[in-house]
Amino acid sequence: NAGVTQTPKFQVLKTGQSMTLQCAQDMNHEYMSWYRQDPGMGLRLIHYSVGAGITDQGEVPNGYNVSRSTTEDFPLRLLSAAPSQTSVYFCASNRGQNYGYTFGSGTRLTVV
Amino acid sequence: RKEVEQDPGPFNVPEGATVAFNCTYSNSASQSFFWYRQDCRKEPKLLMSVYSSGNEDGRFTAQLNRASQYISLLIRDSKLSDSATYLCVVNPLGGGYNKLIFGAGTRLAVHP
C-alpha cells in the first residue's frame, strides 16, 4: 500500500516554463488537495477536489490548474512558472472532512 | 487575523518535561480539528484528531475549547524523538467541504 505518491521529488524550472506535478493515491480516498509550504507561512491550500470531476480553488490558486479525471490521480499544473512559485508542494488525500490527511513526501520546486 | 494561529516557539525542553502548545482559530463554526507533526524536510503526519470531550493517546493529550476557540496539545514525559514542528489544523467549513487550514507550526526541541 503506497499511500500518496508524488513525483518528481525535486525540480528546477526556468521562469516561464510549464510543468505538471503528479499525485496518485491508492487508498480510494474521495478527497484530494494540493498545498504549498513556504518558510514561516505554514501550508496554504492551492486547489482541492471532493471527487472525480469536481475541483475547487483554495487560498492561493493563481498560476495553477488542476483536474481530477480519476479517483486516484490529481495532477497540479504550473502554467508559466515564476520565482514566487519556488516552494515545497504537498499533495494529500483523505476519506472525508472529519478525517486527517495522508500526505505525499513532497516536491521541492525551484524556479530560477 | 490569521484563521489559525500558533506560537512559533521554539520550545526548548529537557527530556522528561511536560510541554503544552496552544492554538487559536477564528471561525467559530469550525467543525474538525487535528494536530500534525512535521519533521525537518519531511511531510506532515497526523498525530491525533481533537474531539470535543478531549482525547488522549499515550503521552499526548488534546483538548478543544469551543467557547474560547482554541485547541491545545499536551506532551508528557518528552522524548528526544518528540523534537519536531507541531501543526494545528482546523476545518473551518464542514458540510462536505475539505479546506483544512494549517497553522504555521510550533517548533519543539527536546534536549538530553
Side-chain angles (χ1 to χ4, degrees):
Chain A
N1 190 337
V4 179
T5 302
Q6 285 185 241
T7 57
K9 293 190 181 303
F10 301 94
Q11 184 71 49
V12 178
L13 287 179
K14 293 183 178 179
T15 298
Q17 287 184 317
S18 62
M19 77 161 296
T20 299
L21 279 61
Q22 302 291 342
C23 176
Q25 53 94 6
D26 61 0
M27 298 172 284
N28 202 33
H29 287 170
E30 287 296 319
Y31 295 88
M32 296 186 75
S33 301
W34 275 102
Y35 284 84
R36 60 177 288 174
Q37 186 173 34
D38 303 292
M41 300 288 289
L43 284 96
R44 292 181 291 169
L45 183 64
I46 304 171
H47 286 285
Y48 68 101
S49 169
V50 298
I54 306 170
T55 64
D56 204 350
Q57 296 181 351
E59 181 185 355
V60 287
N62 293 339
Y64 308 94
N65 274 353
V66 292
S67 60
R68 186 94 181 272
S69 56
T70 66
T71 299
E72 295 77 21
D73 300 298
F74 192 43
L76 178 72
R77 283 182 290 279
L78 278 72
L79 307 174
S80 177
S84 61
Q85 293 179 304
T86 293
S87 188
V88 181
Y89 291 84
F90 288 105
C91 178
S93 73
N94 65 343
R95 55 183 167 134
Q97 59 172 333
N98 293 319
Y99 298 91
Y101 282 141
T102 298
F103 281 87
S105 58
T107 296
R108 295 185 177 275
L109 176 68
T110 301
V111 182
V112 298
Chain B
R1 180 185 173 189
K2 291 182 181 179
E3 288 193 70
V4 178
E5 293 201 72
Q6 298 182 247
D7 182 340
F11 285 63
N12 294 299
V13 302
E15 276 186 292
T18 294
V19 61
F21 307 136
N22 287 333
C23 164
T24 58
Y25 60 94
S26 61
N27 188 329
S28 61
S30 295
Q31 298 292 315
S32 46
F33 309 87
F34 308 91
W35 282 103
Y36 276 74
R37 169 198 170 119
Q38 186 173 25
D39 295 292
C40 187
R41 300 181 70 84
K42 297 287 189 181
E43 72 272 23
K45 292 186 177 178
L46 179 64
L47 181 65
M48 58 197 303
S49 302
V50 185
Y51 303 120
S52 296
S53 55
N55 48 299
E56 188 174 302
D57 183 1
R59 299 181 292 109
F60 299 85
T61 300
Q63 296 280 350
L64 169 62
N65 185 319
R66 285 191 183 272
S68 301
Q69 294 178 213
Y70 78 82
I71 67 173
S72 63
L73 177 68
L74 182 77
I75 305 175
R76 293 181 298 277
D77 189 22
S78 298
K79 312 291 185 190
L80 294 175
S81 57
D82 293 334
S83 298
T85 296
Y86 290 84
L87 307 175
C88 171
V89 184
V90 174
N91 185 340
L93 293 176
Y97 295 89
N98 200 40
K99 298 170 75 168
L100 298 189
I101 306 297
F102 284 74
T106 299
R107 284 199 297 133
L108 172 65
V110 182
H111 57 83

